[in-house]
Amino acid sequence: MHVREIGLQDASDKEIFTTAKNMDRIVVSADTDFGTLLALWKENKPSVVLFRRLSQRRPEYQVTLLLANLPAIEQDLNAGSVVVVEQNRMRIRSLPIERD
């Protein structure tokens, strides 16, 4: 389901998170604010995939990268995690994010 299909193209970050949580969806974004907001809200859902520092920002590349790595991160996403995808690595942090 595309964001446009559920009317969130102009939604606030909080509306996106609330809808994703209620619909058991995963947020995929390049907006690093989502990771910060999850830490502040101390929620365990929705999971978020963040694309950062990619030399190739084309959606086709991001989809290919996500699908190639999905088997390795699927369980973490289902459990509630932030997955940061960079050019040559991925970092996974379980939700809720607690201060160290």
Side-chain angles (χ1 to χ4, degrees), residues 21-22 31 64 81 83 85 90 97:
K21 182 178 177 181
N22 291 341
D31 184 347
T64 300
S81 296
V83 177
V85 180
M90 284 190 315
I97 296 173

Side-chain angles (χ1 to χ4, degrees), residues 3 23-24 26 32 34 46 48 50-51 54-55 61 64 71 78 81-82 88-90 94 98-99:
V3 169
M23 296 180 71
D24 198 26
I26 296 167
T32 56
F34 284 152
V48 176
L50 291 174
F51 287 100
L54 293 178
S55 61
Y61 176 77
T64 300
N78 287 334
S81 296
V82 175
N88 295 312
R89 71 178 181 152
M90 284 190 315
S94 297
E98 301 291 335
R99 291 188 175 228

Side-chain angles (χ1 to χ4, degrees), residues 53-69:
R53 300 183 195 140
L54 293 178
S55 61
Q56 188 64 253
R57 291 194 173 251
R58 298 179 58 119
E60 299 85 6
Y61 176 77
Q62 292 175 341
V63 167
T64 300
L65 189 59
L66 180 58
L67 291 176
N69 289 287

Side-chain angles (χ1 to χ4, degrees), residues 3-23:
V3 169
R4 219 168 266 133
E5 292 175 11
I6 54 176
L8 294 177
Q9 64 271 20
D10 296 318
S12 70
D13 291 347
K14 185 170 184 168
E15 290 172 308
I16 292 169
F17 273 108
T18 300
T19 301
K21 182 178 177 181
N22 291 341
M23 296 180 71

